[in-house]
Amino acid sequence: MGAISIREVVKRYGRGPKANQVIHGVNAEIADGEFIVIVGPSGCGKSTLLRMVAGLEEISGGQISIAGRVVNDIEPSERDIAMVFQNYALYPHMSVFDNMAYGLKIAKVPLAEIKARVDKAAKILQLEPYLLRKPRELSGGQRQRVAMGRAIVRQPAVFLFDEPLSNLDAKLRAATRLEIQKLHRELGVTSLFVTHDQVEAMTLAERMIVMNAGRMEQIGTPDEVYARPATTFVAGFIGSPPMNLLDGHADGSRFTLGGIALSLPQPAPRSAALLLGIRPEHAHAAAAGWPMQVEMVEMLGAERLVHGRLGGAAFTLRVDATLAPPQPGSTLMIEAAGVHLHWFDRQTQQRI
């Protein structure tokens, strides 16, 4: 069993009034066999949180449990985890087989079992033809598979991935994502995967934790996080291009910003100064609606991004590339269905 419980976990560097707190009371319950992705911008604390689960960082407050056992004061080697790093961390003088087998040899696992485990992992990861090669003879994607194979042979309760795809090019990242998905389906081991790439997060996660400045902004399935972002940070971070956020005043079925009044398809949740969120793909051109001043059009193959201003605020619209593009300097009338409007409190930045 590899369930993970993270309760009010805090991390501080230093002591006393000058201590720098970088993780602020994170709570998460991760079920046995679940694949969780921790996502957020650089410096948000996601790798620090992962390293506390691994035991590579001390916990300043709170509690972490793995498989029902509190591990706050337990050494990393005794936590029944295996970690895959960004930089592979392979021994250059050892063959692929020896790299994968090294941890088992140190643990004095019988040679026959070592060979069986390595052969099985090599088959899963399609590394059988490379077992006698040195790391320098492999591509970046193959080296990362060796690093994953070294983790698999340990047969841990939990896999921890710290941005393992960051050193790969875009094509290899996509291929390796598929391999990780297949691996998880086959092994069913609880996994924590850290990334700053929202595409990796959305495609890999069963649930995702969105981090910002050491705080957990939201935890949920990719569909939940995309469809109902809990804060303006999540709304702006998840989705490419990010959600449009319009700062104005709602009054029933009217929303005023920049001196113009927009007619809403359904009343706002309350009459007040609010932030209105609309994803670029959820607005479309219409015969009548809101006047968008077109500034620039980007061609992206099957689609175009139309950038402009709506009531003085920046607004991006995603359109099908088969449609005639609007001209810069023109006014495009747009509309959005009520189900696609997101409302946030201006002060708290929380979803209403």
Side-chain angles (χ1 to χ4, degrees):
M1 297 291 287
I4 302 171
S5 177
I6 301 172
R7 297 179 183 173
E8 293 296 332
V9 167
V10 169
K11 177 62 180 177
R12 302 183 193 91
Y13 292 106
R15 296 180 181 277
K18 293 186 178 180
N20 178 27
Q21 186 162 321
V22 297
I23 299 292
H24 305 269
V26 171
N27 289 282
E29 297 294 329
I30 299 163
D32 181 42
E34 194 171 16
F35 198 111
I36 297 287
V37 175
I38 307 173
V39 64
S42 296
C44 71
K46 55 188 184 295
S47 288
T48 301
L49 181 61
L50 187 81
R51 290 171 65 84
M52 286 195 289
V53 175
L56 302 177
E57 292 273 3
E58 290 185 1
I59 301 168
S60 305
Q63 178 179 289
I64 295 177
S65 301
I66 298 176
R69 180 178 61 154
V70 177
V71 297
N72 288 31
D73 301 316
I74 293 177
E75 291 296 316
S77 60
E78 299 174 4
R79 294 192 181 198
D80 199 12
I81 60 167
M83 196 160 181
V84 179
F85 297 94
Q86 177 180 346
N87 62 357
Y88 319 137
L90 301 178
Y91 295 107
H93 62 288
M94 291 185 182
S95 67
V96 168
F97 182 95
D98 289 335
N99 264 284
M100 293 170 65
Y102 183 72
L104 300 181
K105 291 178 180 177
I106 294 299
K108 302 189 184 305
V109 174
L111 291 178
E113 185 176 349
I114 290 176
K115 186 176 187 310
R117 288 196 199 181
V118 172
D119 286 347
K120 181 179 179 181
K123 183 177 182 180
I124 292 171
L125 295 169
Q126 299 177 17
L127 288 171
E128 292 167 299
Y130 311 111
L131 287 175
L132 298 180
R133 294 190 186 182
K134 299 290 197 300
R136 65 176 177 272
E137 301 174 278
L138 305 177
S139 69
Q142 290 165 341
R143 292 179 195 178
Q144 194 55 275
R145 294 210 303 271
V146 175
M148 288 191 287
R150 182 178 54 195
I152 290 170
V153 299
R154 294 268 309 279
Q155 297 180 351
V158 173
F159 285 136
L160 303 177
F161 297 88
D162 191 7
E163 304 212 39
L165 310 184
S166 295
N167 288 339
L168 307 181
D169 61 40
K171 186 175 180 180
L172 268 178
R173 280 203 302 271
T176 310
R177 283 201 304 267
L178 291 175
E179 290 174 358
I180 290 174
Q181 286 177 317
K182 292 176 184 175
L183 181 64
H184 184 254
R185 281 198 299 269
E186 181 159 346
L187 301 178
V189 177
T190 308
S191 300
L192 282 182
F193 186 106
V194 161
T195 181
H196 64 273
D197 187 331
Q198 59 164 297
V199 174
E200 285 179 15
M202 296 289 282
T203 54
L204 284 172
E206 293 177 351
R207 285 193 301 156
M208 56 199 295
I209 295 172
V210 183
M211 296 284 293
N212 178 34
R215 291 179 171 83
M216 188 175 74
E217 295 270 334
Q218 186 170 1
I219 181 169
T221 67
D223 282 344
E224 290 169 347
V225 172
Y226 175 81
R228 292 185 59 81
T231 66
T232 55
F233 173 82
V234 178
F237 187 78
I238 299 298
S240 181
M243 182 183 288
N244 298 294
L245 291 170
L246 306 175
D247 189 346
H249 190 279
D251 185 8
S253 294
R254 294 169 69 85
F255 185 71
T256 305
L257 76 161
I260 67 170
L262 307 180
S263 179
L264 300 172
Q266 63 186 39
R270 64 177 184 240
S271 294
L274 300 177
L275 296 170
L276 169 59
I278 307 167
R279 292 203 179 277
E281 54 271 31
H282 290 157
H284 57 272
W290 305 341
M292 175 182 172
Q293 305 303 315
V294 179
E295 295 180 334
M296 184 180 72
V297 179
E298 285 186 276
M299 177 63 178
L300 299 177
E303 62 189 23
R304 288 186 175 93
L305 297 181
V306 180
H307 302 277
R309 316 292 294 185
L310 183 60
F315 197 93
T316 300
L317 183 70
R318 189 194 300 271
V319 298
D320 194 304
T322 60
L323 302 176
Q327 295 301 309
S330 65
T331 299
L332 180 67
M333 305 305 288
I334 63 173
E335 65 179 11
V339 69
H340 290 143
L341 303 186
H342 304 262
W343 295 98
F344 302 92
D345 184 278
R346 179 191 283 177
Q347 299 299 321
T348 67
Q349 308 286 295
Q350 299 288 315
R351 183 181 190 87
I352 298 174

